[in-house]
Amino acid sequence: MNLAAAPTDLSGKTCFVTGAAGGIGAATVAHFAEQGATVYSTDLPADCDGPATYRSLNLLDADGLLECQNWIAEISPDITFNNAALFDMGSVLDADLAQFDRLFGLNVRAFYAVLQSAAKAGVAAKQPGSIINMASQAGHRGEALVAHYCATKAAVISYTQSAALALAPHKIRVNAISPGVIDTPMWDTVDGLFAKFENKAPGQKKREVGEAVPLGYMGSPDDVAKVAVFLASDQSSYITAQTISVDGGNVLR
């Protein structure tokens, strides 16, 4: 029996990251690069500092999404971190179809296009690999004020399971990460929306959700990125079709 731990070293691996300009995406780019990977990334801002080869692409735009798909086919990444997403709020009484189209357009349609492109590239190259999808604790349960977003992240979890089963014969593992409340720039937007919908003072919701986590505080982007490295590496070589919660104990499953 070999009791040596499998390495997290990603030297010689090619990684592709969407939603890479800030928060969890930027942290994951940095962690992948630190482990020796060659990293390619995309997001909306025209410029993006960091150790990756970067392109500004709007995945809600047909041309931008097609360019992203073609780029994935060209790169044929060993590891794909499928992270780009939008958040918005509204119950079934006020979350309209325009919001539906935006959130499902990026969080499900573009997400699926990236997933499929990475899968096809890996199969064509006869290349084992790892696809890591960004889910959310919102995908495990509905929330009164977050109808569309919760549904999109439930779809991510379901597609992760289906893709993992389809790609297992090709030695391509597919897993998801389900963050809880993570202290990213997006949480300023989320806090502002809760201030509007729940009549809270600015900063109040963010403080409340951090205190409500069983571990007592919000997580950091690095907490998620470290799990992404685990799922990208040989440490997780026998793990597929799983959704790993990084939420300080918020969701018990």
Side-chain angles (χ1 to χ4, degrees):
M1 180 182 297
N2 182 6
L3 297 180
T8 57
D9 178 60
L10 300 177
S11 297
K13 302 295 186 182
T14 299
C15 301
F16 187 82
V17 179
T18 66
I24 291 168
T28 301
V29 166
H31 278 260
F32 282 170
E34 188 176 85
Q35 292 297 320
T38 299
V39 186
Y40 297 84
S41 68
T42 184
D43 207 327
L44 280 175
D47 297 304
C48 182
D49 294 331
T53 299
Y54 176 81
R55 289 187 190 179
S56 174
L57 296 173
N58 181 358
L59 302 188
L60 274 173
D61 173 77
D63 290 339
L65 183 57
L66 180 60
E67 183 176 346
C68 182
Q69 291 175 280
N70 290 338
W71 198 22
I72 292 169
E74 175 189 337
I75 296 166
S76 190
D78 302 282
I79 299 146
T80 300
F81 186 61
N82 200 357
N83 173 62
L86 286 171
F87 179 87
D88 206 345
M89 287 180 62
S91 74
V92 293
L93 296 174
D94 49 26
D96 59 22
L97 291 180
Q99 185 187 116
F100 177 98
D101 289 341
R102 287 195 311 276
L103 268 63
F104 272 83
L106 183 61
N107 300 8
V108 181
R109 188 176 186 274
F111 148 83
Y112 179 76
V114 169
L115 168 65
Q116 185 179 59
S117 297
K120 286 184 173 182
V123 170
K126 297 182 179 179
Q127 171 181 290
S130 175
I131 299 172
I132 305 158
N133 299 320
M134 184 54 60
S136 169
Q137 69 176 21
H140 298 289
R141 64 190 185 203
E143 296 185 22
L145 293 174
V146 198
H148 292 330
Y149 183 77
C150 288
T152 66
K153 291 305 183 177
V156 168
I157 293 169
S158 182
Y159 275 120
T160 295
Q161 295 170 354
S162 296
L165 297 176
L167 295 174
H170 302 281
K171 308 305 182 204
I172 297 172
R173 299 180 296 108
V174 187
N175 293 288
I177 299 174
S178 179
V181 288
I182 305 297
D183 194 0
T184 68
M186 188 179 80
W187 244 98
D188 293 333
T189 300
V190 175
D191 181 80
L193 287 167
F194 273 106
K196 172 186 173 183
F197 280 91
E198 294 187 345
N199 195 30
K200 293 182 180 291
Q204 181 180 349
K205 186 68 175 185
K206 184 176 179 179
R207 184 181 68 255
E208 288 174 351
V209 298
E211 291 172 349
V213 173
L215 285 181
Y217 59 93
M218 297 181 80
S220 74
D222 285 334
D223 291 323
V224 179
K226 287 183 283 189
V227 176
V229 168
F230 167 72
L231 290 173
S233 75
D234 288 344
Q235 289 274 2
S236 60
S237 60
Y238 200 56
I239 297 175
T240 196
Q242 304 305 306
T243 298
I244 298 179
S245 294
V246 183
D247 62 8
N250 250 5
V251 178
L252 306 182
R253 293 186 295 114

